[in-house]
Amino acid sequence: MSMKRTNVYADPEDLAIIKEAAKRRGISEAEIIRQGIHLAAMANRVWDEPLFSRTFEGPGRTLSKPEVRDTVAEAVRREISSGSGSVA
């Protein structure tokens, strides 16, 4: 994998923690910093497709707690009556 060099300013306390972690884990400080950069990049990535691409029919509003509870209870009753579920 090709790498590109860059310079960043970092808090001295963070660098001390990275140095200690690198020693403890037996890897380079640079590797820990690369892992952090990768996590930051992935956390800020804009994905081409939404995480949930399926849509569901509904009332077009957020359900109340009692409506959610009743809907789940009804689904459990249907599953139990069909014989496909088990109750603990």
Side-chain angles (χ1 to χ4, degrees):
M1 168 171 62
S2 175
M3 300 268 183
K4 182 172 179 174
R5 182 184 173 102
T6 188
N7 295 318
V8 297
Y9 291 97
D11 184 278
E13 292 176 9
D14 291 338
L15 293 174
I17 292 168
I18 289 170
K19 181 182 278 297
E20 206 288 317
K23 184 177 179 182
R24 184 179 64 249
R25 293 175 59 194
I27 61 175
S28 70
E29 295 170 43
E31 181 57 29
I32 292 176
I33 292 168
R34 280 191 289 271
Q35 290 171 1
I37 290 170
H38 180 69
L39 290 172
M42 297 311 292
N44 290 285
R45 180 177 175 185
V46 176
W47 298 91
D48 294 337
E49 296 180 20
L51 181 59
F52 299 104
S53 59
R54 292 175 48 192
T55 58
F56 300 93
E57 294 296 320
R61 62 179 173 74
T62 302
L63 298 176
S64 66
K65 285 183 181 181
E67 289 173 311
V68 171
R69 183 181 53 242
D70 293 344
T71 301
V72 171
E74 180 57 34
V76 169
R77 281 193 289 274
R78 280 196 309 268
E79 188 171 315
I80 290 171
S81 68
S82 69
S84 61
S86 62
V87 179

